[in-house]
Amino acid sequence: MVHLSTKTLDDDLRVIGLATERCHAIPGSLVRLHFRLSSSPPLGWSYIFTTVWRTVQYPLKRPAGVEGDFIWIDCVPEEVGLHHLAKLEESVAKANAEFRAKAQQQALNAGRQAQLDAKLRSQIADLNRTLYPEAEPATRSNARQRSWISRLFAKFWSSLTRIYALTI
């Protein structure tokens, strides 16, 4: 399971242009073309885009991926407008929709888990009150207070034993 970023996808990512400074030749008379995204993708979005791209089928399909704020595709430049750009843009739109749906599901699951955890803590506290009715409930402030008292007593005892050792 991919854990998505807590950063939300406020606005859908879009392809906004070709990053000419990043484009370069690769072996086999192909060029790796980098397209700039409208913003930085949140954690998990790149994986979703790659998964979506694997499912896309069309003639002359080429490898594509995500690097930072860019989507790249290895192709012959003349093919981009005719074959690839529309499919890349469709894949970006699908990745946006899937990311948003998965993020909503994770938020819902986290809320449900928090409710279950709170219910369990309440049940355990009830059990403790049933088994030990006169016991003081353990809280952080009680623990800090006990810790402070324990340190004070330890220092007192240490000083007392040193004084006693000096008098003997």
Side-chain angles (χ1 to χ4, degrees):
M1 174 182 190
V2 174
H3 291 283
L4 304 179
S5 169
T6 53
K7 174 185 169 186
T8 60
L9 192 58
D10 296 325
D11 295 319
D12 283 348
L13 293 175
R14 302 177 326 282
V15 175
I16 59 170
L18 194 58
T20 56
E21 72 282 0
R22 292 182 60 108
C23 299
H24 57 88
I26 60 172
S29 71
L30 296 176
V31 175
R32 178 161 286 182
L33 297 173
H34 284 81
F35 293 91
R36 194 174 312 277
L37 291 170
S38 55
S39 66
S40 181
L43 183 64
W45 187 92
S46 300
Y47 176 80
I48 293 171
F49 172 83
T50 303
T51 303
V52 167
W53 186 253
R54 278 191 222 128
T55 66
V56 173
Q57 296 298 318
Y58 67 96
L60 301 176
K61 180 184 173 188
R62 302 289 184 173
V66 181
E67 286 179 10
D69 300 354
F70 303 92
I71 289 183
W72 57 264
I73 186 165
D74 297 338
C75 65
V76 177
E78 293 78 23
E79 297 174 348
V80 172
L82 296 172
H83 303 286
H84 308 302
L85 186 56
K87 296 295 185 182
L88 284 171
E89 289 172 338
E90 287 172 21
S91 296
V92 167
K94 280 185 182 178
N96 288 336
E98 285 188 29
F99 178 87
R100 190 168 275 115
K102 288 179 191 251
Q104 288 171 345
Q105 186 61 46
Q106 280 188 358
L108 183 63
N109 291 344
R112 286 181 183 153
Q113 187 62 49
Q115 287 176 340
L116 290 173
D117 290 347
K119 184 178 178 183
L120 178 62
R121 280 192 303 276
S122 175
Q123 289 172 337
I124 291 171
D126 289 345
L127 177 63
N128 186 43
R129 282 190 293 275
T130 302
L131 297 175
Y132 305 100
E134 59 280 338
E136 181 181 332
T139 63
R140 280 195 172 148
S141 61
N142 290 343
R144 269 187 255 140
Q145 186 178 13
R146 281 191 297 262
S147 175
W148 178 80
I149 291 171
S150 297
R151 285 193 308 266
L152 179 65
F153 183 74
K155 285 183 180 182
F156 173 74
W157 187 256
S158 174
S159 298
L160 190 61
T161 53
R162 270 188 259 133
I163 292 170
Y164 181 71
L166 291 175
T167 59
I168 296 180

